[in-house]
Structure formats: C-alpha cells, structure tokens
Amino acid sequence: MLCIFKEITLLLENKSKFVSLRRILPILVLLLSAAFYSHAQDSRPSAPELPGKIIKTYPNPATSYITFDLQNNYQKGLTIVVYSFLGKKVYESQNVSEKTTLTLSDFNRGVYIYHLTDQTGKVMDSGKFQVSR
C-alpha cells in the first residue's frame, strides 16, 4: 500500500492532469485503509430457535404431504388450522395426534400458514410451510 501511495504522490508532482486527484487522495486513502482494516463478519449467524416452539413441520418445502410433529408439551384437544397466504382457511383438524400427516393433493403451489390452537382457541404456535410441485 505504501508503494501505491508513493506512486500517486509522484504523479501529483506533475500537476498537469492530476490536480483534481490531489483533492481526492485523502478520501481514497481513508477508504482503502478502512477496507483493509475492517472487521466484517465472516458468516451470517444462524437464526435462533424459538424456545416456545411446539410443532415441527417437515418436509419444507413439501410436494405431496406435510407432517406436523408435536414436540414437547403435547396435550390432547389441540387443533391445527391451515390458511392460504391470502388468509383463506383451507384445512382444519381437531383433536390432532402427536404426528399428523396432511396430504397436499388439493393444495396449490405457494406458501401456507398454520396455527396450533388449544381448546379455548388460544394460538399455541404458528408457522408457515411451502408447497412446491
């Protein structure tokens, strides 16, 4: 970097074409030094797993079926409701078991949102899955 700085300085001494470069030189040196000495992140941090996650969906994206696997804190009387991305209710199942598989033959390609509700109607968990064909 020092060699580049010396070459630019020699060119500036000519004063013919490089007069405007003399004004820009401090800014360029600052930008170059910031680029060399910046401590950027090497990789993006992974998204933290939510502690209250009750339901796991797989495979996602799905083609022919999706499985809703209720994790810890499973209780009887839970309901799964699936909505299209536009908000239209497309599926509802009451009193679901620990592992429920939904066939996607009547589902169009797109993103769907699900809610897991308890007997009182309180949303216990929600998420989304994608149908791709």
Side-chain angles (χ1 to χ4, degrees), residues 40-85:
Q41 290 181 346
D42 293 336
S43 63
R44 292 181 8 188
S46 61
E49 187 67 30
L50 298 175
K53 208 66 176 151
I54 298 172
I55 193 165
K56 180 180 177 184
T57 56
Y58 58 89
N60 194 7
T63 54
S64 58
Y65 69 92
I66 186 98
T67 301
F68 297 100
D69 190 4
L70 298 173
Q71 303 294 308
N72 49 5
N73 301 333
Y74 169 71
Q75 350 170 343
K76 293 192 181 237
L78 297 176
T79 303
I80 294 178
V81 182
V82 178
Y83 299 94
S84 71
F85 199 68

Side-chain angles (χ1 to χ4, degrees), residues 55 57 68 70 78-84 87 89 91-93 96 112-118 121-129:
I55 193 165
T57 56
F68 297 100
L70 298 173
L78 297 176
T79 303
I80 294 178
V81 182
V82 178
Y83 299 94
S84 71
K89 186 190 299 185
Y91 175 79
E92 182 174 2
S93 177
V96 294
Y112 292 85
I113 300 167
Y114 64 87
H115 292 296
L116 180 69
T117 58
D118 64 3
K122 178 184 172 192
V123 176
M124 304 285 293
D125 197 0
S126 64
K128 62 183 177 179
F129 63 92

Side-chain angles (χ1 to χ4, degrees), residues 9-25:
T9 309
L10 289 174
L11 290 173
L12 288 176
E13 290 175 2
N14 190 358
K15 292 188 180 182
S16 58
K17 296 180 185 177
F18 302 104
V19 173
S20 63
L21 199 63
R22 182 175 288 162
R23 294 179 186 157
I24 298 174
L25 183 64

Side-chain angles (χ1 to χ4, degrees), residues 1 3 10 23 30 44 59 68 73-74 77 86 88-89 92 102-103 107 112 130-131:
M1 187 167 153
C3 293
L10 289 174
R23 294 179 186 157
L30 181 67
R44 292 181 8 188
F68 297 100
N73 301 333
Y74 169 71
L86 297 174
K88 180 182 175 188
K89 186 190 299 185
E92 182 174 2
L102 172 62
T103 306
F107 284 60
Y112 292 85
Q130 180 177 353
V131 176

